[in-house]
Amino acid sequence: MSLKSKIRNNPWGLLLIHKLHERQNRKNLKKFSDKEQILRWYQMKSGGQTPDLENPKTFSEKQQWYKLNEKNPLMEKCADKVDVREYVTECGYGHLLNEIYGVYNSVKELPIKDLPEKCVIKGAHGSGFNLIVRDKFKVKWCVWKKIMKSWLKQDIYWSGREWVYKNLKKRLVVEKYLEDKSGGLLDYKFFCFNGKPRFMQLEVGRYTANNTRNFYDMDWNLMPFGKELEHNPNIEVEKPEGFEEMKEIAEKLSKPFSFVRVDLYQVGGKIYFGELTFFPAGGAPDFKPIEYNKIVGDMWDIGKKDD
């Protein structure tokens, strides 16, 4: 298991990570314009490369262009893990929404004693704010309360200028615990360009020594690249029985956007909506091998929505 995974599997290590994020000097970041900070952030993530924001060609460059030039209010609504439910319902997919036990503005409001033994607690206003509760009596609530308080103090907009998060309400949402036959919850992440799903990310063994992130085309063929992690052709995953329906759902939900990642689950033959993500990994140039940054970028006609 990697050091990063070990830290994330330890709540005290996770608290340290969130405290470091929380203590970022926002005043220093605020002095930079969105374009200036995006350039600084990209250079940090790419080892000093400067993205072409005037004529972007790679996926990561187009992601930065997207931050600066696409300010569709619907994107902001869909980035919120509570408000997105209204959009999903409007699209005719209210039956895909997981059950919510409650939405809370502070950790003090969280009724831990009344929560079911299993549930999932998320920060509605950001990315990576998750607590999977498999047995609430074994959770170290003393440290997790501190972590959740840190979630509610963080604004992930400032670092990479993912503008959709800037004005979101800072809230906690508690959802029903879901588990599929893998013993966890496989997350089918559809990358949709101009209203069409083109490929899908599937992560297996997250935060374990066997963590794999493979990509499949829309015929369930393994694609020869990874993102942040190397792809693993030795991992075989059965195509879910609802894959064709998932593609239709992803296509409909992605219609108003030139790019979005649509995340879905399947439990006991039933499909569930996960979330909509507009800037995966902030648009960092992390494809492996890196030439797929350009190959994937060619799939995206920036500024064009599917009519």
Side-chain angles (χ1 to χ4, degrees):
M1 185 183 296
S2 68
L3 177 61
K4 183 178 179 180
S5 296
K6 288 181 180 178
I7 292 173
R8 289 188 176 278
N9 281 326
N10 183 315
W12 290 106
L14 196 58
L15 176 61
L16 176 61
I17 291 173
H18 282 292
K19 282 296 183 181
L20 290 173
H21 290 166
E22 180 188 328
R23 291 173 184 175
Q24 278 187 326
N25 193 333
R26 294 181 184 175
K27 291 183 179 178
N28 284 345
L29 293 181
K30 286 180 179 179
K31 71 182 181 181
F32 299 106
S33 68
D34 284 349
K35 184 176 181 179
E36 289 170 338
Q37 179 57 23
I38 283 172
L39 290 172
R40 294 175 74 250
W41 180 90
Y42 193 94
Q43 289 167 350
M44 178 183 67
K45 293 292 184 178
S46 65
Q49 297 177 34
T50 299
D52 186 344
L53 299 179
E54 302 304 320
N55 186 28
K57 294 182 173 63
T58 66
F59 176 74
S60 58
E61 288 178 334
K62 289 182 177 182
Q63 280 271 279
Q64 310 317 312
W65 182 95
Y66 201 34
K67 293 176 186 177
L68 292 169
N69 294 282
E70 286 285 345
K71 299 296 177 71
N72 180 350
L74 183 57
M75 293 170 66
E76 183 178 53
K77 178 177 183 177
C78 289
D80 187 298
K81 290 179 175 58
V82 176
D83 293 348
V84 67
R85 296 170 66 89
E86 182 179 346
Y87 170 68
V88 173
T89 301
E90 289 171 352
C91 289
Y93 293 125
H95 60 287
L96 303 182
L97 296 171
N98 191 16
E99 181 181 352
I100 279 185
Y101 296 130
V103 179
Y104 308 97
N105 295 312
S106 71
V107 175
K108 286 184 178 180
E109 293 180 10
L110 193 65
I112 294 174
K113 290 183 179 180
D114 297 327
L115 294 179
E117 183 177 339
K118 295 183 177 183
C119 62
V120 178
I121 305 174
K122 301 178 180 180
H125 59 290
S127 176
F129 301 154
N130 303 298
L131 169 58
I132 300 173
V133 179
R134 295 184 174 88
D135 182 346
K136 73 173 185 179
F137 300 105
K138 294 182 180 179
V139 173
K140 295 180 179 179
W141 290 108
C142 61
V143 60
W144 272 105
K145 285 181 180 180
K146 295 178 186 294
I147 292 172
M148 289 186 281
K149 286 179 180 178
S150 183
W151 293 350
L152 296 174
K153 294 178 181 178
Q154 292 183 51
D155 187 340
I156 66 173
Y157 157 75
W158 290 105
S159 179
R161 298 303 163 101
E162 298 176 44
W163 68 270
V164 293
Y165 297 115
K166 184 178 182 181
N167 297 312
L168 298 190
K169 296 177 183 177
K170 294 178 173 60
R171 297 179 288 179
L172 300 173
V173 55
V174 183
E175 297 181 352
K176 180 180 178 179
Y177 174 84
L178 298 176
E179 183 177 291
D180 59 30
K181 61 183 180 180
S182 73
L185 190 61
L186 295 180
D187 198 350
Y188 302 92
K189 302 174 182 286
F190 290 82
F191 283 65
C192 301
F193 301 88
N194 308 114
K196 300 289 183 181
R198 299 295 298 272
F199 59 83
M200 188 212 71
Q201 172 185 326
L202 181 63
E203 188 151 352
V204 178
R206 182 179 295 178
Y207 304 141
T208 72
N210 299 315
N211 191 193
T212 299
R213 186 177 298 151
N214 281 349
F215 290 81
Y216 299 82
D217 66 18
M218 292 297 93
D219 293 316
W220 200 257
N221 297 309
L222 181 65
M223 301 180 79
F225 65 87
K227 195 172 188 295
E228 190 178 2
L229 301 174
E230 300 283 354
H231 88 292
N232 187 346
N234 298 315
I235 297 291
E236 294 187 13
V237 180
E238 181 182 356
K239 181 171 74 171
E241 59 186 60
F243 187 61
E244 295 303 317
E245 184 181 357
M246 286 182 182
K247 291 194 294 187
E248 294 175 3
I249 294 166
E251 180 169 345
K252 187 167 183 179
L253 291 177
S254 70
K255 287 289 184 183
F257 316 110
S258 69
F259 169 78
V260 68
R261 195 189 73 199
V262 180
D263 295 2
L264 302 171
Y265 309 112
Q266 182 173 272
V267 178
K270 174 178 169 56
I271 297 171
Y272 288 88
F273 171 79
E275 63 181 61
L276 298 182
T277 300
F278 297 98
F279 309 108
D286 57 0
F287 281 98
K288 296 188 175 190
I290 193 59
E291 54 260 35
Y292 277 86
N293 197 16
K294 173 63 165 59
I295 293 170
V296 172
D298 288 342
M299 299 179 184
W300 184 2
D301 185 355
I302 57 174
K304 177 182 179 297
K305 292 89 172 174
D306 184 78
D307 300 324

